[in-house]
Amino acid sequence: MSDTHLPRRARRLPGELLERVAEADVVVHAGDWVDTATLDLLQERSRRLIGVYGNNDGPELRARLPEVARAELDGLRLGVVHETGPKRGREKRCAERFGDLDVLVFGHSHIPWDTTATTADGRPLRLLNPGSPTDRRSQPYRTCMTAVVEAGRLEAVELHRLPPRG
């Protein structure tokens, strides 16, 4: 997930998202939490949480989270960052900056994204943005994303449409 913006964009995280958090081995948040209560909640409910701060996150969150996070998941090299810059040229920029990774999860735009860049050494770098579970902006749905990591490979990436608030 990314761009939860609580409590500005919503009062709480969607129930369906919290159910997925409880089922996940690893939860990733690509920044713009806005409040520390969301970080506390996800730390409490996650088996493992990997998160970064975003441009809307203040000093308290920046003190607790890195700008870029890196982790190895069953041999898969994962990175998380909030901003990757404009849509145009994103693949090239990310391949240059994060060429040592297999997957980069990012946020900021609230727009779901799933592409592959080619690194300088010819390897693929998967770029994923889960959108926002609380603020759809110009998108038709609020979203989150799930994936399976198996033997160092990213499998079964799925974008989930979350129900309208109500």
Side-chain angles (χ1 to χ4, degrees), residues 110-111 132-143 165:
H110 300 217
I111 299 171
S132 172
T134 57
D135 183 19
R136 64 184 182 86
R137 280 196 188 159
S138 63
Q139 299 303 296
Y141 302 96
R142 298 175 303 135
T143 57
R165 282 190 280 230

Side-chain angles (χ1 to χ4, degrees), residues 111-125:
I111 299 171
W113 187 276
D114 184 352
T115 60
T116 302
T118 302
T119 63
D121 61 359
R123 289 181 315 94
L125 169 63

